[in-house]
Amino acid sequence: TMTLIDQQKINELVTLYKNGSFKEVLKKSVSLLEKDPNNYFINNICGMANFSLSNYQKSSNFFTKAIEINPNNFEAHNNLATSLNYDGKFEDSIKSYKKALKIKPESTEILNNIGNTLKDLGRFGEALDYYIKSTKVNSKFKIAKSNIIKTLAFHKPKEININPYVQANSKLQNLKITLNDEEKLTDNKIKEIFNQWIKIIEDQIEDFEYNYSHIFRLQTKDLNCERHHKVFNSFKIIPKNCFSCFKVQANPKRVIDLIKLYLIFDKLDLQNNNNRKTFCEIRPYVDATYVGNIYCYTLEEANDVKKKLEKLYFKFIDEKAKIWIKRGCSEFSIAYPDYKVTDSREKNFMKYNKTWKEKEKIFDSKISQRDKLSKRLSKKHILGVNLHDVLSIKNWLFYAKKINDQSY
């Protein structure tokens, strides 16, 4: 169809959009849409500009209009589905993704996006099926493969033979590793165990690339650290939540000890089932190399957890090690040195600054419905070894080689 609007005006909108001038795009489009309300391109770009400004309701309206004008346009259905997803309208989003899928049944991205939306709804089994469908269409699609691996860390599928990743994960899960008091966890024993894990994976999977190296054991509610970091980075303030975050920290000296710590964390029985994490520290301003954290809500609780961890750490890893109690995240203490004081009886113990509450409110008003809703779902990690863990440890070993740690 002949468009009533000349190409030059359209090019101008594209340039504005590419430069991130989303409000300008919307301003300039008003008169253009008066002239030609059924212009597919302008409705679509207004949808994209609103989406970029987090106006999801408005962006959905523009995409819906674009679909009325051009019902068989794959991109418009995909855009609408994504917009609905961010608006927390997960069921509607899935319907729109499925319409896009009718137009392009082989779209790996759409299959993966349906999986993500089902995961936001807490329907992990169905999500897994869509990630697997996505890898069947393109076995090299890394995002869907990573999503399969991440989902298997907290979801146990009923059907094992649906996919090599599921099979490998299931075999790893069936291994029972015991820490008993008579036996030392020797380096050789760790190597033996790890080789057994790798052999299981090699029998099932060819491609080992996986870009994650943090191993979590989330057992209680999500600490929502991602949000707190964004608040800190936006306003240079420490969120209120982080004033009741204490971590018990061990810093193994060698990568092989980090693997031992990972095994201890998996088995460590704590009264409040605290969240824990093991990882390689690559941030330049933190002086530890290998880190294991257990997250606590009070200093008292942290002291209890510290005693329990020390018992096992001294026994299985290093009896001369120091186990620390620290407060919140390292970045916060760099910006506010008093934040790192853990004892509330000390005079420079830092308390939350109440004037920061307004800034947190501003930040939260901009969080998408999707993030608010999907955060509420508790994803409890299944205990025992899984694929995510083993591939992450493989990345630890790459890192150890790079920094010349020859313990493994």
Side-chain angles (χ1 to χ4, degrees):
T1 53
M2 256 305 287
T3 167
L4 308 172
I5 290 162
D6 64 19
Q7 195 55 43
Q8 192 188 341
K9 289 223 166 53
I10 287 199
N11 293 346
E12 202 181 316
L13 288 181
V14 172
T15 306
L16 285 169
Y17 180 81
K18 282 186 176 156
N19 292 337
S21 312
F22 306 122
K23 285 182 175 156
E24 276 301 297
V25 171
L26 297 172
K27 228 169 36 207
K28 288 226 181 325
S29 298
V30 175
S31 58
L32 298 177
L33 281 172
E34 275 169 12
K35 202 161 138 194
D36 185 4
N38 287 331
N39 185 302
Y40 169 80
F41 176 83
I42 294 174
N43 279 288
N44 196 48
I45 204 166
C46 284
M48 284 155 64
N50 272 302
F51 181 83
S52 301
L53 292 165
S54 308
N55 303 332
Y56 303 120
Q57 187 60 61
K58 284 183 180 162
S59 62
S60 297
N61 293 342
F62 276 109
F63 293 138
T64 302
K65 178 74 179 157
I67 289 168
E68 278 169 25
I69 299 162
N70 190 349
N72 290 324
N73 188 299
F74 167 80
E75 182 194 22
H77 286 286
N78 185 27
N79 287 345
L80 175 59
T82 306
S83 181
L84 290 164
N85 178 306
Y86 273 77
D87 210 12
K89 299 187 167 112
F90 299 138
E91 301 283 358
D92 292 341
S93 167
I94 291 171
K95 282 182 193 143
S96 276
Y97 278 133
K98 286 184 173 168
K99 283 177 184 159
L101 203 57
K102 277 212 169 81
I103 299 165
K104 246 195 201 174
E106 298 285 279
S107 167
T108 50
E109 278 86 1
I110 296 283
L111 289 163
N112 181 65
N113 288 347
I114 294 175
N116 286 340
T117 311
L118 286 161
K119 192 168 93 200
D120 286 333
L121 281 164
R123 287 154 59 182
F124 302 130
E126 292 168 77
L128 188 64
D129 290 342
Y130 272 94
Y131 295 143
I132 290 170
K133 279 179 189 160
S134 180
T135 58
K136 278 185 179 152
V137 175
N138 174 6
S139 63
K140 300 219 169 3
F141 186 40
K142 290 198 174 82
I143 297 172
K145 284 203 282 204
S146 292
N147 282 332
I148 292 172
I149 295 167
K150 284 193 283 190
T151 305
L152 291 169
F154 50 81
H155 171 73
K156 210 182 182 113
K158 293 188 179 68
E159 194 49 64
I160 303 297
N161 297 327
I162 44 178
N163 171 275
Y165 288 88
V166 178
Q167 282 171 303
N169 191 69
S170 168
K171 287 191 168 145
L172 289 168
Q173 280 273 295
N174 289 336
L175 297 174
K176 293 285 168 267
I177 291 155
T178 48
L179 295 180
N180 58 35
D181 288 348
E182 292 75 68
E183 235 185 312
K184 269 278 194 219
L185 260 184
T186 61
D187 293 359
N188 279 338
K189 180 156 171 134
I190 292 293
K191 289 177 185 175
E192 208 177 287
I193 290 170
F194 189 69
N195 286 336
Q196 185 190 11
W197 296 345
I198 289 294
K199 170 112 186 59
I200 286 175
I201 299 178
E202 278 172 345
D203 287 346
Q204 304 286 342
I205 299 167
E206 285 131 37
D207 169 29
F208 268 45
E209 196 179 324
Y210 187 58
N211 293 333
Y212 296 87
S213 62
H214 286 214
I215 298 182
F216 291 92
R217 282 290 176 272
L218 298 180
Q219 294 299 324
T220 54
K221 68 174 197 239
D222 189 336
L223 298 169
N224 217 348
C225 300
E226 204 180 318
R227 176 246 179 220
H228 305 328
H229 274 266
K230 284 180 184 160
V231 170
F232 176 74
N233 292 332
S234 307
F235 299 111
K236 284 290 169 272
I237 64 170
I238 303 174
K240 188 169 194 287
N241 268 46
C242 306
F243 282 83
S244 54
C245 172
F246 295 87
K247 57 191 186 193
V248 176
Q249 187 174 89
N251 302 125
K253 294 196 169 53
R254 311 175 306 152
V255 71
I256 201 150
D257 293 332
L258 186 62
I259 302 174
K260 293 176 190 176
L261 183 60
Y262 152 75
L263 290 171
I264 288 173
F265 274 6
D266 188 64
K267 294 270 183 274
L268 184 62
D269 196 10
L270 297 170
Q271 193 185 344
N272 296 332
N273 229 340
N274 306 55
N275 292 338
R276 46 207 90 166
K277 171 166 99 161
T278 35
F279 60 102
C280 297
E281 179 56 89
I282 52 179
R283 291 173 296 182
Y285 47 83
V286 182
D287 55 5
T289 310
Y290 304 118
V291 182
N293 286 334
I294 301 176
Y295 298 90
C296 304
Y297 289 105
T298 64
L299 187 59
E300 270 171 304
E301 182 189 16
N303 277 314
D304 281 348
V305 168
K306 178 175 180 251
K307 285 189 195 109
K308 288 211 167 98
L309 178 60
E310 278 172 343
K311 219 171 115 184
L312 292 169
Y313 199 93
F314 296 162
K315 183 175 173 39
F316 289 114
I317 298 177
D318 175 2
E319 64 233 343
K320 295 189 185 68
K322 175 127 178 68
I323 305 290
W324 311 86
I325 292 179
K326 295 185 176 177
R327 204 176 178 191
C329 283
S330 317
E331 291 90 328
F332 302 166
S333 303
I334 293 169
Y336 298 94
D338 283 350
Y339 176 74
K340 63 170 170 279
V341 177
T342 53
D343 189 344
S344 58
R345 291 168 304 200
E346 304 235 349
K347 67 175 191 311
N348 56 341
F349 177 78
M350 183 178 174
K351 290 194 170 72
Y352 180 62
N353 177 340
K354 292 204 168 71
T355 61
W356 290 349
K357 198 157 190 56
E358 281 315 301
K359 290 187 168 147
E360 289 203 60
K361 272 193 185 136
I362 293 168
F363 181 86
D364 287 335
S365 69
K366 294 187 177 140
I367 292 179
S368 71
Q369 269 311 97
R370 173 184 79 166
D371 287 348
K372 283 183 195 155
L373 294 169
S374 64
K375 271 279 170 272
R376 283 186 205 143
L377 287 170
S378 87
K379 298 199 277 265
K380 280 194 168 175
H381 283 85
I382 299 167
L383 295 178
V385 185
N386 62 50
L387 198 48
H388 166 85
D389 299 352
V390 179
L391 294 178
S392 299
I393 292 172
K394 205 169 178 337
N395 291 336
W396 294 354
L397 297 177
F398 277 129
Y399 179 67
K401 230 189 209 122
K402 228 166 79 178
I403 61 167
N404 211 9
D405 166 356
Q406 294 167 358
S407 64
Y408 190 89

